[in-house]
Coordinates of all heavy atoms in Angstrom, one line a residue:
M167 N 0.8 -1.2 0.0 CA 0.0 0.0 0.0 C 0.9 1.2 0.0 O 1.9 1.3 0.7 CB -0.9 0.0 1.2 CG -1.6 1.3 1.4 SD -3.2 1.1 2.3 CE -4.2 0.4 1.1
D168 N 0.5 2.2 -0.8 CA 1.4 3.4 -0.9 C 0.8 4.6 -0.1 O -0.4 4.5 0.3 CB 1.7 3.8 -2.4 CG 0.4 4.1 -3.1 OD1 -0.7 4.4 -2.5 OD2 0.5 4.2 -4.4
I169 N 1.5 5.6 0.1 CA 1.1 6.8 0.8 C -0.1 7.5 0.2 O -1.0 7.9 0.9 CB 2.3 7.7 1.0 CG1 3.4 7.1 1.9 CG2 1.9 9.0 1.7 CD1 4.7 7.8 2.0
Q170 N -0.1 7.6 -1.1 CA -1.1 8.3 -1.8 C -2.5 7.6 -1.6 O -3.5 8.3 -1.6 CB -0.8 8.5 -3.3 CG 0.2 9.5 -3.6 CD 1.6 9.0 -3.2 OE1 1.9 7.8 -3.2 NE2 2.5 10.0 -2.9
T171 N -2.5 6.3 -1.6 CA -3.7 5.6 -1.4 C -4.1 5.6 0.1 O -5.3 5.7 0.4 CB -3.5 4.1 -1.8 OG1 -3.1 4.1 -3.2 CG2 -4.8 3.3 -1.7
L172 N -3.2 5.5 1.0 CA -3.5 5.3 2.4 C -3.9 6.7 3.0 O -4.8 6.7 3.9 CB -2.2 4.8 3.1 CG -2.4 4.3 4.5 CD1 -3.4 3.2 4.6 CD2 -1.1 3.7 5.0
T173 N -3.3 7.8 2.6 CA -3.6 9.1 3.2 C -5.0 9.5 3.3 O -5.6 9.8 4.3 CB -2.7 10.2 2.6 OG1 -1.3 9.9 2.8 CG2 -3.0 11.5 3.2
P174 N -5.8 9.5 2.1 CA -7.2 9.9 2.2 C -8.0 9.0 3.0 O -9.0 9.4 3.6 CB -7.6 10.0 0.7 CG -6.6 9.2 -0.1 CD -5.3 9.2 0.7
R175 N -7.7 7.7 3.0 CA -8.5 6.7 3.7 C -8.3 7.0 5.2 O -9.3 6.9 6.0 CB -8.1 5.3 3.4 CG -8.4 4.9 1.9 CD -7.9 3.6 1.5 NE -8.5 2.5 2.2 CZ -8.3 1.3 1.9 NH1 -7.5 0.9 0.9 NH2 -8.9 0.3 2.6
I176 N -7.1 7.2 5.7 CA -6.8 7.5 7.1 C -7.5 8.8 7.5 O -8.1 9.0 8.5 CB -5.3 7.6 7.4 CG1 -4.7 6.2 7.2 CG2 -5.1 8.1 8.8 CD1 -3.2 6.2 7.3
A177 N -7.4 9.9 6.6 CA -8.0 11.2 6.9 C -9.5 11.1 7.1 O -10.1 11.6 8.0 CB -7.7 12.2 5.8
R178 N -10.2 10.3 6.2 CA -11.7 10.1 6.4 C -12.0 9.4 7.7 O -12.9 9.9 8.4 CB -12.2 9.3 5.2 CG -12.4 10.1 4.0 CD -13.2 9.3 2.9 NE -12.7 8.0 2.6 CZ -11.7 7.9 1.6 NH1 -11.3 8.9 1.0 NH2 -11.2 6.7 1.3
R179 N -11.3 8.4 8.0 CA -11.5 7.7 9.3 C -11.2 8.5 10.5 O -11.8 8.5 11.5 CB -10.8 6.4 9.3 CG -11.4 5.4 8.3 CD -10.8 4.0 8.4 NE -11.2 3.4 9.7 CZ -10.8 2.2 10.0 NH1 -10.2 1.4 9.2 NH2 -11.2 1.6 11.2
L180 N -10.1 9.3 10.4 CA -9.7 10.2 11.5 C -10.8 11.2 11.8 O -11.2 11.5 12.9 CB -8.4 10.8 11.2 CG -7.8 11.8 12.3 CD1 -7.5 11.0 13.6 CD2 -6.5 12.5 11.8
E181 N -11.3 11.9 10.7 CA -12.3 12.9 10.9 C -13.6 12.3 11.5 O -14.2 12.9 12.4 CB -12.7 13.5 9.5 CG -11.6 14.5 9.0 CD -11.8 14.9 7.6 OE1 -12.7 14.3 6.9 OE2 -11.2 15.9 7.2
A182 N -13.9 11.1 11.1 CA -15.1 10.4 11.6 C -14.9 10.0 13.0 O -15.8 10.0 13.9 CB -15.5 9.2 10.7
N183 N -13.6 9.6 13.3 CA -13.3 9.1 14.7 C -13.2 10.2 15.7 O -13.7 10.0 16.8 CB -12.0 8.3 14.6 CG -11.7 7.4 15.8 OD1 -11.2 7.9 16.8 ND2 -12.1 6.2 15.6
I184 N -12.6 11.3 15.3 CA -12.5 12.4 16.2 C -13.9 13.1 16.5 O -14.3 13.4 17.6 CB -11.5 13.5 15.7 CG1 -10.1 12.9 15.6 CG2 -11.4 14.7 16.6 CD1 -9.5 12.4 16.8
G185 N -14.6 13.3 15.4 CA -16.0 13.8 15.4 C -16.1 15.1 16.2 O -15.3 16.0 16.0
D186 N -17.1 15.1 17.1 CA -17.3 16.4 17.9 C -16.5 16.5 19.1 O -16.6 17.5 19.8 CB -18.8 16.4 18.3 CG -19.8 16.5 17.1 OD1 -19.4 17.0 16.1 OD2 -20.9 15.9 17.2
T187 N -15.6 15.6 19.4 CA -14.8 15.6 20.6 C -13.7 16.6 20.5 O -13.1 17.0 21.6 CB -14.3 14.2 21.0 OG1 -13.4 13.8 20.0 CG2 -15.4 13.3 21.2
A188 N -13.3 17.0 19.4 CA -12.2 18.0 19.2 C -12.4 18.7 17.9 O -13.1 18.3 17.0 CB -10.9 17.2 19.2
T189 N -11.7 19.8 17.8 CA -11.7 20.6 16.6 C -10.6 20.1 15.7 O -9.4 20.1 16.1 CB -11.5 22.1 16.9 OG1 -12.5 22.5 17.8 CG2 -11.5 22.9 15.6
L190 N -10.9 19.7 14.5 CA -10.0 19.1 13.6 C -10.3 19.6 12.2 O -11.3 19.2 11.6 CB -10.0 17.6 13.6 CG -8.9 16.9 12.8 CD1 -7.5 17.2 13.3 CD2 -9.2 15.4 12.8
A191 N -9.5 20.6 11.7 CA -9.8 21.1 10.4 C -9.4 20.1 9.3 O -8.5 19.3 9.6 CB -8.9 22.4 10.2
P192 N -10.1 20.1 8.2 CA -9.8 19.1 7.1 C -8.3 19.1 6.7 O -7.7 18.0 6.5 CB -10.7 19.5 6.0 CG -11.8 20.2 6.6 CD -11.2 20.9 7.8
Q193 N -7.7 20.2 6.6 CA -6.3 20.3 6.2 C -5.4 19.7 7.3 O -4.4 19.0 7.0 CB -5.8 21.7 5.9 CG -5.8 22.7 7.0 CD -7.1 23.4 7.2 OE1 -8.1 23.0 6.7 NE2 -7.1 24.5 7.9
D194 N -5.8 19.8 8.6 CA -5.1 19.2 9.7 C -5.2 17.7 9.6 O -4.2 16.9 9.8 CB -5.5 19.7 11.1 CG -5.2 21.1 11.3 OD1 -4.3 21.6 10.7 OD2 -5.9 21.7 12.2
A195 N -6.4 17.2 9.4 CA -6.6 15.7 9.2 C -5.8 15.2 8.1 O -5.2 14.1 8.2 CB -8.1 15.5 9.0
T196 N -5.8 15.9 7.0 CA -5.0 15.4 5.8 C -3.5 15.4 6.2 O -2.8 14.4 5.8 CB -5.2 16.3 4.6 OG1 -6.6 16.3 4.3 CG2 -4.5 15.8 3.4
Q197 N -3.0 16.4 6.9 CA -1.6 16.4 7.2 C -1.2 15.3 8.2 O -0.2 14.6 8.0 CB -1.2 17.8 7.8 CG 0.3 17.9 8.1 CD 1.2 17.7 6.9 OE1 1.0 18.3 5.9 NE2 2.2 16.8 7.0
I198 N -2.1 15.1 9.2 CA -1.8 14.1 10.2 C -1.9 12.7 9.5 O -1.1 11.9 9.8 CB -2.9 14.2 11.3 CG1 -2.7 15.4 12.2 CG2 -2.8 12.9 12.2 CD1 -3.8 15.7 13.1
A199 N -2.9 12.5 8.6 CA -3.0 11.3 7.9 C -1.8 11.0 7.0 O -1.3 9.9 6.9 CB -4.3 11.3 7.1
A200 N -1.3 12.0 6.4 CA -0.1 11.9 5.5 C 1.1 11.5 6.3 O 1.9 10.6 5.9 CB 0.2 13.2 4.7
D201 N 1.3 12.1 7.5 CA 2.4 11.8 8.4 C 2.2 10.3 8.9 O 3.2 9.6 8.9 CB 2.4 12.7 9.6 CG 2.8 14.1 9.2 OD1 3.3 14.4 8.1 OD2 2.5 15.1 10.0
A202 N 1.0 10.0 9.3 CA 0.8 8.6 9.7 C 1.0 7.6 8.6 O 1.7 6.5 8.9 CB -0.6 8.5 10.3
A203 N 0.5 7.9 7.4 CA 0.7 7.0 6.3 C 2.2 6.8 6.0 O 2.7 5.7 5.7 CB 0.0 7.5 5.1
R204 N 3.0 7.9 6.1 CA 4.4 7.8 5.8 C 5.1 6.9 6.9 O 5.9 6.1 6.5 CB 5.0 9.2 5.8 CG 6.5 9.2 5.3 CD 7.0 10.6 5.2 NE 6.2 11.4 4.2 CZ 5.3 12.4 4.5 NH1 5.2 12.7 5.8 NH2 4.7 13.0 3.6
L205 N 4.8 7.1 8.1 CA 5.4 6.3 9.2 C 5.0 4.9 9.0 O 5.9 4.0 9.2 CB 4.9 6.8 10.6 CG 5.4 8.2 11.0 CD1 4.7 8.7 12.2 CD2 6.9 8.0 11.4
V206 N 3.8 4.6 8.7 CA 3.4 3.1 8.6 C 4.0 2.5 7.4 O 4.5 1.4 7.5 CB 1.8 3.0 8.6 CG1 1.4 1.7 8.2 CG2 1.2 3.4 10.0
T207 N 4.0 3.2 6.3 CA 4.5 2.5 5.1 C 6.1 2.4 5.2 O 6.6 1.4 4.7 CB 4.2 3.3 3.8 OG1 4.6 4.7 3.9 CG2 2.7 3.3 3.5
D208 N 6.7 3.3 5.8 CA 8.2 3.2 6.1 C 8.4 2.0 7.0 O 9.4 1.2 6.8 CB 8.8 4.5 6.7 CG 8.9 5.6 5.7 OD1 8.7 5.4 4.4 OD2 9.2 6.7 6.1
Y209 N 7.6 1.8 8.0 CA 7.8 0.7 8.9 C 7.5 -0.6 8.2 O 8.2 -1.6 8.4 CB 6.9 0.9 10.1 CG 7.0 -0.3 11.1 CD1 8.2 -0.4 11.9 CD2 6.0 -1.2 11.3 CE1 8.3 -1.4 12.8 CE2 6.1 -2.3 12.2 CZ 7.3 -2.4 12.9 OH 7.4 -3.4 13.8
I210 N 6.5 -0.7 7.4 CA 6.1 -1.9 6.7 C 7.2 -2.3 5.7 O 7.5 -3.5 5.6 CB 4.8 -1.7 6.0 CG1 3.6 -1.7 7.0 CG2 4.5 -2.9 5.0 CD1 2.3 -1.3 6.4
G211 N 7.8 -1.3 5.0 CA 8.8 -1.6 4.1 C 8.3 -2.4 2.9 O 7.3 -2.1 2.3
T212 N 9.0 -3.6 2.7 CA 8.6 -4.4 1.6 C 7.7 -5.6 2.0 O 7.4 -6.4 1.2 CB 9.9 -5.0 0.9 OG1 10.6 -5.8 1.9 CG2 10.8 -4.0 0.3
A213 N 7.3 -5.6 3.3 CA 6.4 -6.7 3.8 C 5.0 -6.5 3.1 O 4.6 -5.5 2.7 CB 6.3 -6.6 5.3
T214 N 4.4 -7.7 3.0 CA 3.0 -7.7 2.5 C 2.0 -7.6 3.6 O 1.9 -8.5 4.4 CB 2.8 -9.0 1.6 OG1 3.7 -9.0 0.6 CG2 1.4 -8.9 1.0
V215 N 1.3 -6.5 3.6 CA 0.3 -6.3 4.7 C -1.1 -6.0 4.0 O -1.1 -5.2 3.1 CB 0.7 -5.1 5.6 CG1 -0.3 -4.7 6.6 CG2 2.1 -5.3 6.2
P216 N -2.1 -6.7 4.5 CA -3.5 -6.4 3.9 C -3.8 -4.9 4.1 O -3.5 -4.3 5.1 CB -4.4 -7.2 4.8 CG -3.6 -8.3 5.4 CD -2.2 -7.7 5.5
E217 N -4.5 -4.4 3.1 CA -4.9 -2.9 3.1 C -5.6 -2.5 4.3 O -5.4 -1.5 4.9 CB -5.7 -2.6 1.9 CG -4.9 -2.6 0.6 CD -5.7 -2.2 -0.6 OE1 -6.8 -1.6 -0.5 OE2 -5.2 -2.5 -1.7
E218 N -6.5 -3.4 4.8 CA -7.4 -3.0 6.0 C -6.5 -2.9 7.2 O -6.7 -2.1 8.1 CB -8.4 -4.1 6.2 CG -9.5 -4.2 5.1 CD -9.0 -5.0 3.9 OE1 -8.0 -5.8 4.0 OE2 -9.5 -4.9 2.8
V219 N -5.5 -3.8 7.3 CA -4.6 -3.8 8.5 C -3.7 -2.5 8.4 O -3.5 -1.8 9.5 CB -3.8 -5.0 8.6 CG1 -2.7 -5.0 9.7 CG2 -4.6 -6.3 8.8
A220 N -3.2 -2.2 7.3 CA -2.4 -1.0 7.1 C -3.2 0.3 7.4 O -2.7 1.2 8.1 CB -1.8 -0.9 5.7
E221 N -4.4 0.3 7.0 CA -5.3 1.4 7.2 C -5.6 1.6 8.7 O -5.6 2.7 9.3 CB -6.6 1.3 6.4 CG -7.5 2.5 6.6 CD -8.8 2.3 5.8 OE1 -8.8 1.5 4.8 OE2 -9.8 3.0 6.1
L222 N -5.9 0.5 9.4 CA -6.2 0.5 10.8 C -4.9 0.9 11.6 O -5.0 1.8 12.5 CB -6.6 -0.9 11.3 CG -7.0 -1.0 12.8 CD1 -8.1 0.0 13.2 CD2 -7.4 -2.4 13.1
A223 N -3.8 0.4 11.2 CA -2.5 0.9 11.8 C -2.3 2.3 11.6 O -1.9 3.1 12.5 CB -1.3 0.0 11.3
G224 N -2.6 2.8 10.4 CA -2.4 4.2 10.1 C -3.4 5.1 10.9 O -3.0 6.2 11.4
L225 N -4.6 4.6 11.1 CA -5.6 5.3 11.9 C -5.1 5.4 13.4 O -5.2 6.5 14.0 CB -6.9 4.7 11.9 CG -8.0 5.3 12.8 CD1 -8.3 6.8 12.4 CD2 -9.3 4.5 12.7
Q226 N -4.5 4.3 13.9 CA -4.0 4.4 15.3 C -2.9 5.3 15.4 O -2.8 6.1 16.4 CB -3.6 2.9 15.7 CG -4.7 1.9 15.8 CD -5.8 2.3 16.8 OE1 -5.5 2.8 17.8 NE2 -7.0 2.1 16.4
V227 N -2.0 5.4 14.4 CA -0.9 6.3 14.5 C -1.4 7.7 14.3 O -0.9 8.6 15.0 CB 0.2 5.9 13.4 CG1 1.2 7.0 13.3 CG2 0.8 4.6 13.6
A228 N -2.4 7.9 13.5 CA -2.9 9.3 13.3 C -3.6 9.8 14.6 O -3.4 10.9 14.9 CB -3.9 9.3 12.1
R229 N -4.3 8.9 15.3 CA -4.9 9.3 16.5 C -3.8 9.7 17.5 O -4.0 10.6 18.3 CB -5.8 8.2 17.1 CG -7.0 8.0 16.2 CD -7.9 6.9 16.7 NE -8.5 7.4 18.0 CZ -8.9 6.5 18.9 NH1 -8.9 5.3 18.8 NH2 -9.5 7.0 20.0
E230 N -2.7 8.9 17.5 CA -1.6 9.2 18.5 C -1.0 10.6 18.1 O -0.7 11.4 19.0 CB -0.6 8.1 18.4 CG 0.5 8.2 19.4 CD 0.1 7.9 20.8 OE1 -0.9 7.2 21.0 OE2 0.8 8.5 21.7
L231 N -0.8 10.8 16.8 CA -0.2 12.1 16.4 C -1.2 13.3 16.8 O -0.7 14.3 17.2 CB 0.0 12.1 14.9 CG 1.2 11.2 14.4 CD1 1.2 11.1 12.9 CD2 2.5 11.7 15.0
H232 N -2.5 13.0 16.6 CA -3.5 14.1 16.9 C -3.4 14.4 18.4 O -3.4 15.5 18.9 CB -4.9 13.6 16.5 CG -5.9 14.6 16.9 ND1 -6.7 14.5 18.0 CD2 -6.3 15.8 16.3 CE1 -7.5 15.5 18.0 NE2 -7.3 16.3 17.0
T233 N -3.4 13.3 19.3 CA -3.3 13.5 20.7 C -2.0 14.2 21.1 O -2.0 15.1 22.0 CB -3.4 12.1 21.4 OG1 -4.6 11.5 21.0 CG2 -3.4 12.3 22.9
Q234 N -0.9 13.9 20.4 CA 0.4 14.6 20.7 C 0.3 16.0 20.4 O 0.9 16.9 21.1 CB 1.5 13.9 20.0 CG 1.9 12.6 20.5 CD 3.0 11.9 19.8 OE1 3.5 12.4 18.8 NE2 3.4 10.7 20.2
M235 N -0.5 16.4 19.3 CA -0.6 17.8 19.0 C -1.4 18.5 20.1 O -1.1 19.7 20.3 CB -1.4 17.9 17.7 CG -0.6 17.7 16.4 SD -1.6 17.8 14.9 CE -2.5 19.3 15.1
Q236 N -2.3 17.9 20.7 CA -3.1 18.5 21.8 C -2.3 18.6 23.1 O -2.7 19.3 24.0 CB -4.4 17.7 22.0 CG -5.3 17.8 20.9 CD -6.6 17.0 21.2 OE1 -6.6 15.9 21.8 NE2 -7.7 17.5 20.7
A237 N -1.2 17.8 23.2 CA -0.4 17.8 24.4 C 1.0 17.9 24.1 O 1.8 16.9 24.2 CB -0.7 16.5 25.2
P238 N 1.5 19.1 23.6 CA 2.9 19.2 23.2 C 3.9 18.9 24.2 O 5.0 18.5 23.9 CB 3.0 20.7 22.7 CG 1.7 21.3 23.1 CD 0.7 20.3 23.5
G239 N 3.6 19.0 25.5 CA 4.6 18.7 26.5 C 4.6 17.2 26.9 O 5.4 16.8 27.7
G240 N 3.7 16.4 26.3 CA 3.7 15.0 26.5 C 2.8 14.5 27.6 O 2.7 13.4 27.9
I241 N 2.1 15.5 28.2 CA 1.1 15.1 29.3 C -0.3 15.5 28.8 O -0.5 16.7 28.5 CB 1.4 15.9 30.6 CG1 2.8 15.7 31.1 CG2 0.4 15.5 31.6 CD1 3.1 14.3 31.6
Y242 N -1.2 14.5 28.7 CA -2.5 14.8 28.2 C -3.5 14.6 29.3 O -3.5 13.6 30.1 CB -2.8 13.8 27.1 CG -4.2 13.9 26.5 CD1 -4.5 15.0 25.6 CD2 -5.2 13.1 26.8 CE1 -5.7 15.2 25.1 CE2 -6.5 13.2 26.2 CZ -6.7 14.3 25.4 OH -8.0 14.5 24.8
S243 N -4.3 15.6 29.5 CA -5.3 15.6 30.6 C -6.7 15.9 30.1 O -7.5 16.4 30.8 CB -4.9 16.6 31.7 OG -4.9 17.9 31.2
G244 N -7.0 15.5 28.8 CA -8.3 15.7 28.2 C -9.4 14.7 28.5 O -10.4 14.7 27.9
F245 N -9.1 13.7 29.4 CA -10.1 12.7 29.7 C -11.1 13.2 30.7 O -10.9 14.3 31.3 CB -9.4 11.5 30.3 CG -8.4 10.8 29.4 CD1 -7.1 10.9 29.6 CD2 -8.9 10.1 28.3 CE1 -6.2 10.2 28.7 CE2 -8.0 9.5 27.4 CZ -6.6 9.6 27.6
A246 N -12.2 12.6 30.7 CA -13.4 13.0 31.5 C -13.0 13.3 33.0 O -13.4 14.2 33.6 CB -14.5 12.1 31.4
D247 N -12.2 12.4 33.6 CA -11.8 12.5 35.0 C -10.7 13.5 35.2 O -10.4 13.8 36.3 CB -11.5 11.1 35.6 CG -10.3 10.5 34.9 OD1 -9.7 11.1 34.0 OD2 -9.9 9.4 35.4
G248 N -10.1 14.0 34.1 CA -9.0 15.0 34.2 C -7.7 14.5 34.7 O -6.8 15.2 34.9
A249 N -7.6 13.2 34.8 CA -6.3 12.6 35.3 C -5.3 12.7 34.2 O -5.5 12.3 33.0 CB -6.5 11.1 35.7
P250 N -4.1 13.2 34.5 CA -3.1 13.4 33.4 C -2.4 12.0 33.1 O -2.3 11.2 33.9 CB -2.0 14.3 34.1 CG -2.3 14.2 35.5 CD -3.7 13.8 35.7
V251 N -2.1 11.9 31.8 CA -1.5 10.7 31.3 C -0.3 11.1 30.4 O -0.4 12.0 29.6 CB -2.5 9.9 30.4 CG1 -1.8 8.7 29.8 CG2 -3.7 9.5 31.2
R252 N 0.8 10.4 30.7 CA 2.0 10.7 29.8 C 1.9 9.9 28.5 O 1.6 8.7 28.5 CB 3.3 10.2 30.5 CG 4.5 10.4 29.6 CD 5.8 10.5 30.2 NE 6.0 11.6 31.1 CZ 6.3 12.9 30.8 NH1 6.3 13.2 29.6 NH2 6.5 13.8 31.7
L253 N 2.0 10.6 27.4 CA 1.9 10.0 26.1 C 3.2 9.2 25.7 O 4.3 9.6 26.1 CB 1.6 11.0 25.1 CG 0.3 11.8 25.3 CD1 0.2 12.9 24.3 CD2 -0.9 10.9 25.3
A254 N 3.0 8.2 24.9 CA 4.2 7.5 24.3 C 4.9 8.5 23.4 O 4.3 9.3 22.7 CB 3.7 6.3 23.6
R255 N 6.2 8.4 23.4 CA 7.0 9.3 22.5 C 7.0 8.7 21.1 O 7.2 9.5 20.1 CB 8.4 9.4 23.0 CG 8.5 10.2 24.3 CD 9.9 10.4 24.7 NE 9.9 11.0 26.0 CZ 10.8 11.8 26.4 NH1 11.9 12.0 25.7 NH2 10.7 12.4 27.6
D256 N 6.8 7.4 20.9 CA 6.8 6.8 19.6 C 5.4 6.7 19.1 O 4.6 5.9 19.6 CB 7.5 5.4 19.7 CG 7.6 4.7 18.3 OD1 7.2 5.3 17.3 OD2 8.0 3.6 18.3
P257 N 5.0 7.5 18.0 CA 3.6 7.4 17.6 C 3.3 6.1 16.9 O 2.1 5.8 16.8 CB 3.6 8.6 16.5 CG 5.0 8.8 16.1 CD 5.8 8.5 17.3
L258 N 4.3 5.3 16.6 CA 4.0 4.0 16.0 C 3.6 2.9 17.1 O 3.2 1.8 16.7 CB 5.2 3.5 15.2 CG 5.3 4.0 13.8 CD1 6.6 3.7 13.2 CD2 4.2 3.5 12.9
K259 N 3.8 3.3 18.3 CA 3.6 2.3 19.4 C 2.2 1.5 19.3 O 2.2 0.3 19.4 CB 3.7 2.9 20.8 CG 3.6 2.0 21.9 CD 3.9 2.6 23.2 CE 3.7 1.7 24.3 NZ 4.8 1.1 24.9
P260 N 1.1 2.2 19.0 CA -0.2 1.4 18.9 C -0.2 0.5 17.6 O -1.1 -0.4 17.5 CB -1.3 2.5 18.9 CG -0.6 3.7 18.4 CD 0.8 3.6 18.9
A261 N 0.6 0.8 16.6 CA 0.6 0.0 15.4 C 1.5 -1.2 15.4 O 1.2 -2.2 14.7 CB 1.1 0.9 14.2
Y262 N 2.4 -1.3 16.3 CA 3.3 -2.4 16.3 C 2.6 -3.7 16.5 O 2.9 -4.7 15.8 CB 4.4 -2.2 17.4 CG 5.4 -1.1 17.2 CD1 5.8 -0.3 18.2 CD2 5.9 -0.9 15.9 CE1 6.8 0.7 18.0 CE2 6.8 0.1 15.6 CZ 7.2 0.9 16.7 OH 8.1 1.9 16.5
P263 N 1.6 -3.9 17.5 CA 1.0 -5.2 17.6 C 0.1 -5.5 16.4 O 0.0 -6.7 16.1 CB 0.1 -5.0 18.8 CG 0.6 -3.8 19.5 CD 1.3 -2.9 18.5
L264 N -0.4 -4.6 15.7 CA -1.2 -4.8 14.5 C -0.4 -5.3 13.4 O -0.8 -6.2 12.6 CB -2.0 -3.6 14.1 CG -3.0 -3.0 15.0 CD1 -3.5 -1.6 14.6 CD2 -4.2 -3.9 15.1
L265 N 0.8 -4.8 13.3 CA 1.7 -5.2 12.1 C 2.7 -6.3 12.4 O 3.3 -6.8 11.5 CB 2.4 -3.9 11.7 CG 1.5 -2.7 11.3 CD1 2.4 -1.5 11.0 CD2 0.8 -3.1 10.0
A266 N 2.8 -6.7 13.7 CA 3.8 -7.6 14.1 C 3.8 -8.9 13.3 O 4.9 -9.4 12.9 CB 3.8 -7.9 15.6
S267 N 2.7 -9.5 13.1 CA 2.6 -10.8 12.4 C 2.9 -10.7 10.9 O 3.2 -11.7 10.2 CB 1.3 -11.4 12.5 OG 0.2 -10.6 12.0
Y268 N 2.9 -9.5 10.3 CA 3.2 -9.2 8.9 C 4.6 -8.8 8.7 O 5.3 -9.1 7.7 CB 2.3 -8.2 8.3 CG 0.8 -8.6 8.4 CD1 0.0 -8.1 9.4 CD2 0.3 -9.6 7.6 CE1 -1.3 -8.4 9.6 CE2 -1.1 -9.9 7.7 CZ -1.8 -9.4 8.7 OH -3.1 -9.7 8.9
V269 N 5.1 -8.0 9.6 CA 6.5 -7.3 9.5 C 7.5 -8.2 10.1 O 8.7 -8.2 9.7 CB 6.5 -5.9 10.0 CG1 7.8 -5.3 10.0 CG2 5.4 -5.0 9.3
G270 N 7.2 -8.9 11.2 CA 8.2 -9.7 11.9 C 8.7 -9.0 13.1 O 8.4 -7.8 13.3
G271 N 9.4 -9.7 13.9 CA 9.9 -9.2 15.2 C 11.2 -8.5 15.2 O 11.6 -7.9 16.2
G272 N 11.9 -8.6 14.1 CA 13.2 -7.9 14.1 C 14.4 -8.8 14.6 O 15.5 -8.3 14.7
F273 N 14.2 -10.0 14.9 CA 15.3 -10.9 15.3 C 15.9 -11.6 14.2 O 15.2 -12.1 13.3 CB 14.8 -11.8 16.4 CG 14.3 -11.2 17.7 CD1 13.0 -11.0 17.9 CD2 15.3 -10.7 18.6 CE1 12.6 -10.4 19.1 CE2 14.9 -10.0 19.7 CZ 13.5 -9.9 20.0
A274 N 17.2 -11.8 14.2 CA 17.9 -12.5 13.1 C 18.0 -14.0 13.4 O 17.9 -14.4 14.4 CB 19.2 -11.9 12.9

């Protein structure tokens, strides 16, 4: 799957997923989706991954990037109870389990 195919699919799902819970301009969704698609396709490399799995991984990465934009210091407190949570520094962290069986574990 290439970036040009993956980006609009992630952007549509991101806009639908964020919905009324946050302000997300269409150009922001497209930029976040493009960044997520680039990260996922670079991580996948030459491995064969089903389109649906790549799209879901891209959506998870896009959601992580969106949350990081809302919490530039790395602490997010936008949950209902107001409890602060430290965000992962690696935006691909939620995608690793989804892609592991296709990309491999990295051991020689």
Side-chain angles (χ1 to χ4, degrees):
M167 170 153 284
D168 61 17
I169 293 172
Q170 287 75 25
T171 304
L172 195 55
T173 298
R175 292 173 68 174
I176 293 172
R178 281 192 302 276
R179 288 189 68 177
L180 181 63
E181 288 171 344
N183 197 273
I184 299 297
D186 295 331
T187 61
T189 303
L190 184 64
Q193 66 270 18
D194 291 339
T196 301
Q197 183 59 53
I198 293 169
D201 293 343
R204 188 173 303 107
L205 287 168
V206 168
T207 55
D208 286 351
Y209 179 71
I210 290 172
T212 59
T214 302
V215 177
E217 290 184 16
E218 297 81 16
V219 174
E221 183 179 339
L222 181 58
L225 176 62
Q226 296 300 320
V227 172
R229 291 181 69 202
E230 186 71 25
L231 291 171
H232 179 260
T233 304
Q234 287 179 1
M235 282 178 46
Q236 293 179 322
I241 305 289
Y242 181 72
S243 59
F245 296 110
D247 62 1
V251 175
R252 174 156 304 278
L253 301 175
R255 292 183 184 210
D256 182 1
L258 279 168
K259 186 172 174 103
Y262 292 140
L264 295 170
L265 300 172
S267 62
Y268 303 100
V269 176
F273 295 103

